[in-house]
Amino acid sequence: MEVRATQRHVRISPQKVRMIADAIKGKPAEDAINALKFMPQKSAGIVEKIMRSAVANADQNTSIDVDELIVSNLFVDQGPSLKRFKARARGRGARILKRTSHITVVLSEGLVH
Protein backbone atom coordinates (compact mmCIF):
# COMPACT_ATOMS: atom_id res chain seq x y z
CA MET A 1 0.00 0.00 0.00
CA GLU A 2 1.34 3.42 -0.95
CA VAL A 3 0.82 6.80 0.65
CA ARG A 4 1.94 10.08 -0.85
CA ALA A 5 2.23 13.75 0.03
CA THR A 6 2.96 16.55 -2.41
CA GLN A 7 4.00 20.15 -2.08
CA ARG A 8 3.97 22.36 -5.14
CA HIS A 9 5.52 25.72 -6.02
CA VAL A 10 8.19 25.58 -3.31
CA ARG A 11 10.61 28.49 -3.71
CA ILE A 12 13.82 26.49 -3.90
CA SER A 13 15.78 25.11 -6.82
CA PRO A 14 15.04 21.45 -7.67
CA GLN A 15 18.78 20.74 -7.86
CA LYS A 16 19.20 21.67 -4.19
CA VAL A 17 16.31 19.45 -3.09
CA ARG A 18 17.52 16.46 -5.13
CA MET A 19 20.74 16.29 -3.08
CA ILE A 20 18.65 15.69 0.04
CA ALA A 21 16.26 13.34 -1.77
CA ASP A 22 19.06 10.98 -2.78
CA ALA A 23 20.27 10.79 0.83
CA ILE A 24 16.99 9.49 2.30
CA LYS A 25 15.52 7.38 -0.50
CA GLY A 26 14.98 3.78 0.62
CA LYS A 27 15.29 4.51 4.35
CA PRO A 28 12.57 3.78 6.93
CA ALA A 29 10.32 6.83 7.38
CA GLU A 30 11.27 7.39 11.02
CA ASP A 31 15.01 7.25 10.26
CA ALA A 32 14.57 9.59 7.30
CA ILE A 33 12.76 12.19 9.44
CA ASN A 34 15.47 11.99 12.11
CA ALA A 35 18.21 12.38 9.48
CA LEU A 36 16.48 15.38 7.92
CA LYS A 37 16.09 17.06 11.31
CA PHE A 38 19.86 17.38 11.69
CA MET A 39 20.79 18.35 8.13
CA PRO A 40 21.80 22.03 7.83
CA GLN A 41 20.28 22.65 4.37
CA LYS A 42 17.11 24.68 3.87
CA SER A 43 15.67 21.93 1.68
CA ALA A 44 15.97 19.39 4.53
CA GLY A 45 13.41 21.29 6.59
CA ILE A 46 11.04 21.49 3.64
CA VAL A 47 11.32 17.76 2.85
CA GLU A 48 10.95 16.89 6.55
CA LYS A 49 7.62 18.72 6.65
CA ILE A 50 6.37 16.83 3.58
CA MET A 51 7.56 13.52 5.11
CA ARG A 52 5.57 14.26 8.28
CA SER A 53 2.53 15.01 6.13
CA ALA A 54 2.88 11.67 4.31
CA VAL A 55 3.14 9.81 7.63
CA ALA A 56 0.03 11.64 8.86
CA ASN A 57 -1.77 10.61 5.67
CA ALA A 58 -0.79 7.00 6.33
CA ASP A 59 -2.00 7.29 9.92
CA GLN A 60 -5.51 8.09 8.64
CA ASN A 61 -5.66 4.70 6.91
CA THR A 62 -6.34 1.97 9.47
CA SER A 63 -4.87 -0.84 7.36
CA ILE A 64 -1.36 0.70 7.25
CA ASP A 65 1.19 0.17 10.02
CA VAL A 66 3.00 3.53 10.39
CA ASP A 67 6.07 1.91 11.97
CA GLU A 68 6.79 -0.17 8.84
CA LEU A 69 6.75 2.67 6.30
CA ILE A 70 9.78 3.21 4.07
CA VAL A 71 10.55 6.02 1.64
CA SER A 72 9.93 4.13 -1.58
CA ASN A 73 10.24 7.19 -3.81
CA LEU A 74 10.95 10.88 -3.46
CA PHE A 75 11.00 12.89 -6.63
CA VAL A 76 11.47 16.56 -7.33
CA ASP A 77 10.09 18.16 -10.47
CA GLN A 78 10.70 21.66 -11.71
CA GLY A 79 7.87 24.13 -11.22
CA PRO A 80 7.37 27.47 -12.95
CA SER A 81 10.29 29.91 -12.77
CA LEU A 82 9.88 33.49 -11.64
CA LYS A 83 11.59 35.77 -14.16
CA ARG A 84 13.45 38.76 -12.76
CA PHE A 85 16.17 41.02 -14.09
CA LYS A 86 19.23 42.68 -12.65
CA ALA A 87 20.67 45.91 -13.99
CA ARG A 88 24.07 45.44 -15.62
CA ALA A 89 26.71 47.65 -17.18
CA ARG A 90 25.98 50.00 -20.09
CA GLY A 91 22.22 50.03 -19.57
CA ARG A 92 21.72 46.33 -20.08
CA GLY A 93 19.71 43.90 -18.03
CA ALA A 94 20.59 40.34 -17.10
CA ARG A 95 17.89 37.72 -16.66
CA ILE A 96 17.55 35.96 -13.31
CA LEU A 97 15.45 32.80 -12.95
CA LYS A 98 14.08 32.13 -9.48
CA ARG A 99 13.25 28.47 -9.72
CA THR A 100 10.47 26.58 -7.96
CA SER A 101 9.99 22.88 -7.21
CA HIS A 102 7.21 20.33 -6.97
CA ILE A 103 8.19 17.77 -4.31
CA THR A 104 6.43 14.39 -3.95
CA VAL A 105 7.13 11.85 -1.19
CA VAL A 106 5.87 8.29 -1.66
CA LEU A 107 5.87 5.99 1.37
CA SER A 108 5.08 2.29 1.17
CA GLU A 109 4.81 -0.56 3.60
CA GLY A 110 7.89 -2.70 3.46
CA LEU A 111 10.22 -4.74 5.59
CA VAL A 112 12.27 -2.43 7.77
CA HIS A 113 15.82 -3.74 8.21
Side-chain angles (χ1 to χ4, degrees):
M1 189 94 177
E2 280 189 350
V3 180
R4 63 177 51 210
T6 305
Q7 187 172 2
R8 297 176 48 120
H9 306 290
V10 184
R11 257 296 289 125
I12 191 165
S13 166
Q15 182 181 7
K16 293 176 183 175
V17 183
R18 285 186 188 119
M19 289 190 315
I20 299 298
D22 294 338
I24 64 167
K25 229 179 260 188
K27 286 188 176 182
E30 190 176 339
D31 292 350
I33 290 172
N34 287 335
L36 287 168
K37 196 179 297 183
F38 294 106
M39 288 183 185
Q41 291 88 348
K42 173 186 172 182
S43 58
I46 294 167
V47 174
E48 181 190 354
K49 204 167 186 179
I50 302 166
M51 285 282 301
R52 289 185 187 281
S53 176
V55 171
N57 291 345
D59 200 26
Q60 293 296 308
N61 191 335
T62 56
S63 65
I64 296 176
D65 185 13
V66 178
D67 297 328
E68 293 193 9
L69 290 174
I70 61 168
V71 182
S72 64
N73 204 351
L74 195 159
F75 49 93
V76 183
D77 298 322
Q78 186 165 338
S81 296
L82 302 172
K83 279 110 178 155
R84 301 291 183 258
F85 86 97
K86 183 175 188 175
R88 303 302 294 193
R90 298 169 64 183
R92 293 187 170 95
R95 188 172 183 173
I96 296 175
L97 294 176
K98 296 188 176 269
R99 300 185 187 279
T100 62
S101 305
H102 299 325
I103 305 169
T104 304
V105 175
V106 180
L107 303 177
S108 63
E109 279 188 302
L111 297 173
V112 178
H113 310 291

PDB file of all heavy atoms in Angstrom, residues 12-22 25 47 73-79 100-104:
ATOM      1  N   ILE A  12      12.444  26.963  -3.996  1.00  0.00           N
ATOM      2  CA  ILE A  12      13.820  26.490  -3.896  1.00  0.00           C
ATOM      3  C   ILE A  12      14.135  25.729  -5.179  1.00  0.00           C
ATOM      4  O   ILE A  12      13.242  25.111  -5.768  1.00  0.00           O
ATOM      5  CB  ILE A  12      14.042  25.628  -2.639  1.00  0.00           C
ATOM      6  CG1 ILE A  12      15.525  25.378  -2.410  1.00  0.00           C
ATOM      7  CG2 ILE A  12      13.256  24.345  -2.708  1.00  0.00           C
ATOM      8  CD1 ILE A  12      15.845  24.855  -1.025  1.00  0.00           C
ATOM      9  N   SER A  13      15.371  25.766  -5.587  1.00  0.00           N
ATOM     10  CA  SER A  13      15.776  25.108  -6.823  1.00  0.00           C
ATOM     11  C   SER A  13      15.663  23.589  -6.694  1.00  0.00           C
ATOM     12  O   SER A  13      16.037  23.024  -5.669  1.00  0.00           O
ATOM     13  CB  SER A  13      17.221  25.497  -7.130  1.00  0.00           C
ATOM     14  OG  SER A  13      17.757  24.671  -8.115  1.00  0.00           O
ATOM     15  N   PRO A  14      15.154  22.911  -7.722  1.00  0.00           N
ATOM     16  CA  PRO A  14      15.043  21.447  -7.667  1.00  0.00           C
ATOM     17  C   PRO A  14      16.391  20.760  -7.462  1.00  0.00           C
ATOM     18  O   PRO A  14      16.469  19.729  -6.798  1.00  0.00           O
ATOM     19  CB  PRO A  14      14.464  21.074  -9.034  1.00  0.00           C
ATOM     20  CG  PRO A  14      13.838  22.303  -9.551  1.00  0.00           C
ATOM     21  CD  PRO A  14      14.575  23.442  -8.950  1.00  0.00           C
ATOM     22  N   GLN A  15      17.445  21.330  -7.996  1.00  0.00           N
ATOM     23  CA  GLN A  15      18.778  20.742  -7.864  1.00  0.00           C
ATOM     24  C   GLN A  15      19.181  20.653  -6.395  1.00  0.00           C
ATOM     25  O   GLN A  15      19.779  19.665  -5.962  1.00  0.00           O
ATOM     26  CB  GLN A  15      19.785  21.594  -8.637  1.00  0.00           C
ATOM     27  CG  GLN A  15      21.202  21.057  -8.603  1.00  0.00           C
ATOM     28  CD  GLN A  15      22.165  21.956  -9.373  1.00  0.00           C
ATOM     29  OE1 GLN A  15      21.802  23.038  -9.820  1.00  0.00           O
ATOM     30  NE2 GLN A  15      23.382  21.501  -9.522  1.00  0.00           N
ATOM     31  N   LYS A  16      18.847  21.666  -5.612  1.00  0.00           N
ATOM     32  CA  LYS A  16      19.201  21.674  -4.193  1.00  0.00           C
ATOM     33  C   LYS A  16      18.400  20.648  -3.405  1.00  0.00           C
ATOM     34  O   LYS A  16      18.895  20.072  -2.447  1.00  0.00           O
ATOM     35  CB  LYS A  16      18.980  23.071  -3.612  1.00  0.00           C
ATOM     36  CG  LYS A  16      19.926  24.104  -4.177  1.00  0.00           C
ATOM     37  CD  LYS A  16      19.612  25.477  -3.647  1.00  0.00           C
ATOM     38  CE  LYS A  16      20.521  26.514  -4.291  1.00  0.00           C
ATOM     39  NZ  LYS A  16      20.161  27.879  -3.875  1.00  0.00           N
ATOM     40  N   VAL A  17      17.155  20.414  -3.802  1.00  0.00           N
ATOM     41  CA  VAL A  17      16.313  19.449  -3.092  1.00  0.00           C
ATOM     42  C   VAL A  17      16.721  18.022  -3.460  1.00  0.00           C
ATOM     43  O   VAL A  17      16.663  17.124  -2.612  1.00  0.00           O
ATOM     44  CB  VAL A  17      14.818  19.684  -3.417  1.00  0.00           C
ATOM     45  CG1 VAL A  17      13.949  18.738  -2.625  1.00  0.00           C
ATOM     46  CG2 VAL A  17      14.434  21.122  -3.106  1.00  0.00           C
ATOM     47  N   ARG A  18      17.155  17.808  -4.692  1.00  0.00           N
ATOM     48  CA  ARG A  18      17.519  16.458  -5.130  1.00  0.00           C
ATOM     49  C   ARG A  18      18.714  15.905  -4.358  1.00  0.00           C
ATOM     50  O   ARG A  18      18.821  14.699  -4.176  1.00  0.00           O
ATOM     51  CB  ARG A  18      17.819  16.451  -6.631  1.00  0.00           C
ATOM     52  CG  ARG A  18      16.562  16.538  -7.454  1.00  0.00           C
ATOM     53  CD  ARG A  18      16.832  16.398  -8.943  1.00  0.00           C
ATOM     54  NE  ARG A  18      15.608  16.679  -9.673  1.00  0.00           N
ATOM     55  CZ  ARG A  18      15.469  17.665 -10.553  1.00  0.00           C
ATOM     56  NH1 ARG A  18      16.485  18.457 -10.831  1.00  0.00           N
ATOM     57  NH2 ARG A  18      14.311  17.852 -11.162  1.00  0.00           N
ATOM     58  N   MET A  19      19.616  16.756  -3.884  1.00  0.00           N
ATOM     59  CA  MET A  19      20.744  16.290  -3.075  1.00  0.00           C
ATOM     60  C   MET A  19      20.244  15.630  -1.795  1.00  0.00           C
ATOM     61  O   MET A  19      20.747  14.593  -1.372  1.00  0.00           O
ATOM     62  CB  MET A  19      21.665  17.466  -2.714  1.00  0.00           C
ATOM     63  CG  MET A  19      22.446  18.004  -3.874  1.00  0.00           C
ATOM     64  SD  MET A  19      23.720  19.194  -3.396  1.00  0.00           S
ATOM     65  CE  MET A  19      22.897  20.253  -2.254  1.00  0.00           C
ATOM     66  N   ILE A  20      19.241  16.230  -1.187  1.00  0.00           N
ATOM     67  CA  ILE A  20      18.652  15.689   0.043  1.00  0.00           C
ATOM     68  C   ILE A  20      17.845  14.436  -0.283  1.00  0.00           C
ATOM     69  O   ILE A  20      17.875  13.455   0.464  1.00  0.00           O
ATOM     70  CB  ILE A  20      17.731  16.747   0.703  1.00  0.00           C
ATOM     71  CG1 ILE A  20      18.532  17.993   1.063  1.00  0.00           C
ATOM     72  CG2 ILE A  20      17.025  16.189   1.914  1.00  0.00           C
ATOM     73  CD1 ILE A  20      19.623  17.781   2.054  1.00  0.00           C
ATOM     74  N   ALA A  21      17.117  14.458  -1.391  1.00  0.00           N
ATOM     75  CA  ALA A  21      16.258  13.339  -1.772  1.00  0.00           C
ATOM     76  C   ALA A  21      17.060  12.058  -1.938  1.00  0.00           C
ATOM     77  O   ALA A  21      16.639  10.984  -1.497  1.00  0.00           O
ATOM     78  CB  ALA A  21      15.500  13.668  -3.051  1.00  0.00           C
ATOM     79  N   ASP A  22      18.232  12.161  -2.565  1.00  0.00           N
ATOM     80  CA  ASP A  22      19.058  10.979  -2.778  1.00  0.00           C
ATOM     81  C   ASP A  22      19.565  10.390  -1.466  1.00  0.00           C
ATOM     82  O   ASP A  22      19.805   9.190  -1.370  1.00  0.00           O
ATOM     83  CB  ASP A  22      20.243  11.317  -3.691  1.00  0.00           C
ATOM     84  CG  ASP A  22      19.795  11.667  -5.104  1.00  0.00           C
ATOM     85  OD1 ASP A  22      18.686  11.250  -5.485  1.00  0.00           O
ATOM     86  OD2 ASP A  22      20.542  12.351  -5.814  1.00  0.00           O
ATOM     87  N   LYS A  25      16.307   8.351   0.253  1.00  0.00           N
ATOM     88  CA  LYS A  25      15.516   7.381  -0.503  1.00  0.00           C
ATOM     89  C   LYS A  25      15.827   5.962  -0.037  1.00  0.00           C
ATOM     90  O   LYS A  25      16.988   5.592   0.111  1.00  0.00           O
ATOM     91  CB  LYS A  25      15.849   7.501  -1.990  1.00  0.00           C
ATOM     92  CG  LYS A  25      14.630   7.582  -2.877  1.00  0.00           C
ATOM     93  CD  LYS A  25      15.038   7.715  -4.325  1.00  0.00           C
ATOM     94  CE  LYS A  25      14.940   9.151  -4.764  1.00  0.00           C
ATOM     95  NZ  LYS A  25      15.141   9.322  -6.193  1.00  0.00           N
ATOM     96  N   VAL A  47      11.608  19.172   3.104  1.00  0.00           N
ATOM     97  CA  VAL A  47      11.323  17.759   2.854  1.00  0.00           C
ATOM     98  C   VAL A  47      10.838  17.070   4.127  1.00  0.00           C
ATOM     99  O   VAL A  47       9.957  16.212   4.074  1.00  0.00           O
ATOM    100  CB  VAL A  47      12.563  17.044   2.262  1.00  0.00           C
ATOM    101  CG1 VAL A  47      12.332  15.556   2.147  1.00  0.00           C
ATOM    102  CG2 VAL A  47      12.892  17.625   0.898  1.00  0.00           C
ATOM    103  N   ASN A  73       9.865   6.261  -2.738  1.00  0.00           N
ATOM    104  CA  ASN A  73      10.237   7.185  -3.807  1.00  0.00           C
ATOM    105  C   ASN A  73      10.114   8.614  -3.303  1.00  0.00           C
ATOM    106  O   ASN A  73       9.235   8.927  -2.500  1.00  0.00           O
ATOM    107  CB  ASN A  73       9.343   6.966  -5.024  1.00  0.00           C
ATOM    108  CG  ASN A  73       9.993   7.432  -6.297  1.00  0.00           C
ATOM    109  OD1 ASN A  73      11.041   8.065  -6.280  1.00  0.00           O
ATOM    110  ND2 ASN A  73       9.379   7.119  -7.420  1.00  0.00           N
ATOM    111  N   LEU A  74      11.005   9.458  -3.772  1.00  0.00           N
ATOM    112  CA  LEU A  74      10.953  10.878  -3.459  1.00  0.00           C
ATOM    113  C   LEU A  74      11.456  11.586  -4.708  1.00  0.00           C
ATOM    114  O   LEU A  74      12.622  11.463  -5.064  1.00  0.00           O
ATOM    115  CB  LEU A  74      11.861  11.180  -2.263  1.00  0.00           C
ATOM    116  CG  LEU A  74      11.671  12.521  -1.566  1.00  0.00           C
ATOM    117  CD1 LEU A  74      12.220  12.465  -0.173  1.00  0.00           C
ATOM    118  CD2 LEU A  74      12.259  13.655  -2.328  1.00  0.00           C
ATOM    119  N   PHE A  75      10.555  12.242  -5.405  1.00  0.00           N
ATOM    120  CA  PHE A  75      10.999  12.891  -6.631  1.00  0.00           C
ATOM    121  C   PHE A  75      10.679  14.372  -6.611  1.00  0.00           C
ATOM    122  O   PHE A  75       9.728  14.811  -5.980  1.00  0.00           O
ATOM    123  CB  PHE A  75      10.473  12.209  -7.896  1.00  0.00           C
ATOM    124  CG  PHE A  75       9.012  11.930  -7.919  1.00  0.00           C
ATOM    125  CD1 PHE A  75       8.135  12.824  -8.480  1.00  0.00           C
ATOM    126  CD2 PHE A  75       8.508  10.755  -7.383  1.00  0.00           C
ATOM    127  CE1 PHE A  75       6.777  12.564  -8.519  1.00  0.00           C
ATOM    128  CE2 PHE A  75       7.156  10.483  -7.413  1.00  0.00           C
ATOM    129  CZ  PHE A  75       6.285  11.394  -7.982  1.00  0.00           C
ATOM    130  N   VAL A  76      11.549  15.103  -7.310  1.00  0.00           N
ATOM    131  CA  VAL A  76      11.470  16.563  -7.329  1.00  0.00           C
ATOM    132  C   VAL A  76      11.379  16.999  -8.783  1.00  0.00           C
ATOM    133  O   VAL A  76      12.269  16.727  -9.577  1.00  0.00           O
ATOM    134  CB  VAL A  76      12.725  17.182  -6.678  1.00  0.00           C
ATOM    135  CG1 VAL A  76      12.599  18.690  -6.628  1.00  0.00           C
ATOM    136  CG2 VAL A  76      12.941  16.607  -5.291  1.00  0.00           C
ATOM    137  N   ASP A  77      10.282  17.643  -9.116  1.00  0.00           N
ATOM    138  CA  ASP A  77      10.089  18.160 -10.473  1.00  0.00           C
ATOM    139  C   ASP A  77      10.236  19.672 -10.463  1.00  0.00           C
ATOM    140  O   ASP A  77      10.044  20.313  -9.430  1.00  0.00           O
ATOM    141  CB  ASP A  77       8.694  17.797 -10.992  1.00  0.00           C
ATOM    142  CG  ASP A  77       8.491  16.297 -11.081  1.00  0.00           C
ATOM    143  OD1 ASP A  77       9.453  15.596 -11.446  1.00  0.00           O
ATOM    144  OD2 ASP A  77       7.379  15.827 -10.775  1.00  0.00           O
ATOM    145  N   GLN A  78      10.552  20.219 -11.615  1.00  0.00           N
ATOM    146  CA  GLN A  78      10.698  21.659 -11.713  1.00  0.00           C
ATOM    147  C   GLN A  78       9.333  22.314 -11.885  1.00  0.00           C
ATOM    148  O   GLN A  78       8.519  21.870 -12.690  1.00  0.00           O
ATOM    149  CB  GLN A  78      11.595  22.022 -12.878  1.00  0.00           C
ATOM    150  CG  GLN A  78      11.896  23.493 -12.944  1.00  0.00           C
ATOM    151  CD  GLN A  78      13.061  23.803 -13.859  1.00  0.00           C
ATOM    152  OE1 GLN A  78      13.872  22.945 -14.126  1.00  0.00           O
ATOM    153  NE2 GLN A  78      13.129  25.026 -14.331  1.00  0.00           N
ATOM    154  N   GLY A  79       9.097  23.358 -11.107  1.00  0.00           N
ATOM    155  CA  GLY A  79       7.872  24.133 -11.224  1.00  0.00           C
ATOM    156  C   GLY A  79       8.120  25.346 -12.106  1.00  0.00           C
ATOM    157  O   GLY A  79       9.174  25.464 -12.739  1.00  0.00           O
ATOM    158  N   THR A 100      11.346  27.200  -8.950  1.00  0.00           N
ATOM    159  CA  THR A 100      10.471  26.575  -7.960  1.00  0.00           C
ATOM    160  C   THR A 100      10.452  25.069  -8.186  1.00  0.00           C
ATOM    161  O   THR A 100      10.859  24.587  -9.236  1.00  0.00           O
ATOM    162  CB  THR A 100       9.033  27.127  -8.047  1.00  0.00           C
ATOM    163  OG1 THR A 100       8.501  26.833  -9.334  1.00  0.00           O
ATOM    164  CG2 THR A 100       8.986  28.623  -7.799  1.00  0.00           C
ATOM    165  N   SER A 101       9.986  24.341  -7.166  1.00  0.00           N
ATOM    166  CA  SER A 101       9.990  22.880  -7.208  1.00  0.00           C
ATOM    167  C   SER A 101       8.625  22.324  -6.854  1.00  0.00           C
ATOM    168  O   SER A 101       7.868  22.938  -6.104  1.00  0.00           O
ATOM    169  CB  SER A 101      10.996  22.324  -6.199  1.00  0.00           C
ATOM    170  OG  SER A 101      12.265  22.844  -6.405  1.00  0.00           O
ATOM    171  N   HIS A 102       8.343  21.143  -7.394  1.00  0.00           N
ATOM    172  CA  HIS A 102       7.211  20.333  -6.969  1.00  0.00           C
ATOM    173  C   HIS A 102       7.816  19.080  -6.332  1.00  0.00           C
ATOM    174  O   HIS A 102       8.493  18.307  -7.008  1.00  0.00           O
ATOM    175  CB  HIS A 102       6.332  19.917  -8.143  1.00  0.00           C
ATOM    176  CG  HIS A 102       5.717  21.065  -8.897  1.00  0.00           C
ATOM    177  ND1 HIS A 102       5.297  22.230  -8.305  1.00  0.00           N
ATOM    178  CD2 HIS A 102       5.448  21.210 -10.215  1.00  0.00           C
ATOM    179  CE1 HIS A 102       4.794  23.035  -9.222  1.00  0.00           C
ATOM    180  NE2 HIS A 102       4.876  22.440 -10.407  1.00  0.00           N
ATOM    181  N   ILE A 103       7.574  18.879  -5.033  1.00  0.00           N
ATOM    182  CA  ILE A 103       8.186  17.770  -4.305  1.00  0.00           C
ATOM    183  C   ILE A 103       7.115  16.750  -3.952  1.00  0.00           C
ATOM    184  O   ILE A 103       6.071  17.104  -3.409  1.00  0.00           O
ATOM    185  CB  ILE A 103       8.871  18.265  -3.016  1.00  0.00           C
ATOM    186  CG1 ILE A 103       9.874  19.373  -3.346  1.00  0.00           C
ATOM    187  CG2 ILE A 103       9.559  17.111  -2.287  1.00  0.00           C
ATOM    188  CD1 ILE A 103      10.401  20.110  -2.144  1.00  0.00           C
ATOM    189  N   THR A 104       7.371  15.478  -4.260  1.00  0.00           N
ATOM    190  CA  THR A 104       6.429  14.391  -3.954  1.00  0.00           C
ATOM    191  C   THR A 104       7.162  13.319  -3.168  1.00  0.00           C
ATOM    192  O   THR A 104       8.212  12.843  -3.584  1.00  0.00           O
ATOM    193  CB  THR A 104       5.846  13.783  -5.245  1.00  0.00           C
ATOM    194  OG1 THR A 104       5.252  14.822  -6.006  1.00  0.00           O
ATOM    195  CG2 THR A 104       4.814  12.718  -4.918  1.00  0.00           C
TER     196      THR A 104
END
